[in-house]
């Protein structure tokens, strides 16, 4: 998919990578991977969410790549990674393992940050050998492990069967999103961002989301609808920080609180007033700071122990 469909100028535009490569997953799916920053620097791996791409992490890549090696990849079917008929949490875990193996030296550790479906990717991979070898710490942004559709507050209705049914129909729609119009921006802002989000941030998110093919959007919506990764949370035993916006309608704070309570080693839950689902875009400095804190606390510690 062409990057021209994304933001190609301004503060939200994705920076040029130092190098690009293709990681091959267990089923042969090919994943577009970008590496930013200096070789030999502490490593950070970024996994984006449903309907997004590496462009979603532009702010964190720009800031962290000054003194970190930042690895970002497009989930299968998103960005420049070709679509695959295999859409499942196992496929997400396979893909993250492939990226870690392709970009990190044996025994090298990284902080892994996942937003929304990217966080679910981390939970799905928590018991995998490559994840356990390479993950020193984790940041979970705006995500949940189960009952996503039932918990969503996108529709201003009382919780129950009717709201869940309607939410499922909306999120799973095959309808094309079309061009990014003023109406499209208003809809996306209401559903995914906080009420105070700046127009240029809303536009950036809309362009990224609208670039996702509708068949890919539809296929992954079924995975999210049936999601049950509670077991993955319990086996995610590396230090893990959780971030959520109080105005998140897709994965509301109740989801983050449940994660924090279930994680074996939660290092803190941060609830951001007025911020919606798109935390890395809406609160870029805070998300970047949380990643830095995890690197400083756990990458160096891991290196000292192995010395």
């Amino acid at each position: 998919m062409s990057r021209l469909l994304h933001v190609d100028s301004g503060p939200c535009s994705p920076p040029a990578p130092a190098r690009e490569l293709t990681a091959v997953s267990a089923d042969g799916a090919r994943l577009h991977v970008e590496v930013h920053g200096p070789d030999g620097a502490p490593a950070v791996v970024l996994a984006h969410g449903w309907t997004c791409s590496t462009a979603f992490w532009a702010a964190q890549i720009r800031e962290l790549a000054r003194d970190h090696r930042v690895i970002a990849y497009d989930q299968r079917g998103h960005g420049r990674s070709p679509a695959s008929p295999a859409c499942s949490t196992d496929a997400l875990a396979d893909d993250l393992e492939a990226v870690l193996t392709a970009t990190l030296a044996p025994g090298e550790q990284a902080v892994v940050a996942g937003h929304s479906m990217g966080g679910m990717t981390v939970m799905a991979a928590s018991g995998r050998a490559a994840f356990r070898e390479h993950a020193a710490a984790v940041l979970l942004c705006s995500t949940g492990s189960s009952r996503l559709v039932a918990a969503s507050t996108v529709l201003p209705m009382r919780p129950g069967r009717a709201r869940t049914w309607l939410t499922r129909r909306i999120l799973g729609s095959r309808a094309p999103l079309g061009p990014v119009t003023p109406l499209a921006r208003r809809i996306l802002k209401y559903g995914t961002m906080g009420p105070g989000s700046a127009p240029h941030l809303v536009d950036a998110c809309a362009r990224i989301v609208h670039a996702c093919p509708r068949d890919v959007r539809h296929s992954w919506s079924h995975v999210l609808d049936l999601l049950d990764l509670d077991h993955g949370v319990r086996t995610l035993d590396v230090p893990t920080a959780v971030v959520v916006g109080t105005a998140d309608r897709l994965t509301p704070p109740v989801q983050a609180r449940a994660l924090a309570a279930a994680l074996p080693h939660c290092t803190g839950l941060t609830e951001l007033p007025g911020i919606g689902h798109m935390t890395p875009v809406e609160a870029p400095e805070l998300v970047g700071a949380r990643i830095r804190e995890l690197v400083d606390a756990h990458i160096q510690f891991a290196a000292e122990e192995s010395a």
Side-chain angles (χ1 to χ4, degrees):
M1 176 179 301
S2 173
R3 274 291 184 90
L4 296 178
L5 293 173
H6 292 151
V7 182
D8 56 9
S9 64
C12 295
S13 62
R19 64 187 178 98
E20 299 173 276
L21 64 136
T22 298
V24 181
S25 195
D27 65 351
R30 300 174 67 82
L31 306 166
H32 171 74
V33 183
E34 300 176 0
V35 182
H36 302 258
D39 290 339
V44 173
V45 179
L46 305 175
H48 69 74
W50 179 49
T51 73
C52 293
S53 68
T54 58
F56 189 78
W57 294 104
Q60 287 72 41
I61 293 171
R62 285 186 184 280
E63 198 281 323
L64 292 170
R66 292 184 290 108
D67 51 2
H68 293 72
R69 184 157 49 94
V70 183
I71 299 155
Y73 72 102
D74 286 323
Q75 303 270 20
R76 61 175 66 196
H78 297 71
R80 286 191 274 180
S81 292
S84 165
C87 294
S88 67
T89 55
D90 280 341
L92 292 175
D94 288 341
D95 295 351
L96 179 54
E97 278 203 296
V99 171
L100 294 173
T101 301
T103 57
L104 299 175
E108 182 182 8
Q109 293 203 304
V111 167
V112 183
H115 170 259
S116 193
M117 192 174 80
M120 299 162 201
T121 301
V122 172
M123 298 175 218
S126 62
R128 298 293 189 89
F131 182 85
R132 289 186 170 275
E133 177 184 359
H134 293 295
V138 163
L139 177 65
L140 298 177
C141 296
S142 310
T143 192
S145 59
S146 63
R147 302 188 70 253
L148 299 182
V149 175
S152 169
T153 59
V154 168
L155 293 176
M157 300 169 56
R158 293 177 60 181
R161 290 183 179 179
R163 189 181 77 175
T164 299
W165 184 84
L166 286 171
T167 302
R168 181 177 291 118
R169 293 295 295 266
I170 292 169
L171 298 182
S173 172
R174 286 185 180 272
L177 295 182
V180 178
T181 63
L183 176 60
R185 293 187 193 96
R186 288 197 295 271
I187 292 171
L188 180 127
K189 180 179 178 181
Y190 170 79
T192 69
M193 303 182 78
S197 297
H200 75 285
L201 299 180
V202 176
D203 183 70
C205 285
R207 291 181 182 279
I208 291 169
V209 170
H210 279 233
C212 182
R214 62 176 175 174
D215 288 343
V216 171
R217 188 180 79 240
H218 175 75
S219 296
W220 283 107
S221 73
H222 286 299
V223 177
L224 303 182
D225 181 17
L226 301 174
L227 190 78
D228 184 359
L229 289 172
D230 292 345
H231 63 288
V233 180
R234 294 189 292 270
T235 57
L236 185 54
D237 55 7
V238 298
T240 303
V242 182
V243 172
V244 69
T246 62
D248 189 339
R249 301 179 191 273
L250 288 177
T251 52
V254 64
Q255 293 273 9
R257 293 168 195 152
L259 289 176
L263 284 164
H265 191 173
C266 181
T267 64
L269 166 62
T270 303
E271 298 190 25
L272 305 175
I275 299 297
H277 184 67
M278 303 303 213
T279 41
V281 172
E282 295 179 75
E285 294 86 1
L286 184 137
V287 171
R290 288 291 178 272
I291 294 172
R292 279 188 175 275
E293 289 167 5
L294 290 169
V295 170
D296 291 344
H298 303 291
I299 297 286
Q300 293 174 356
F301 176 77
E304 290 169 3
E305 282 207 330
S306 62

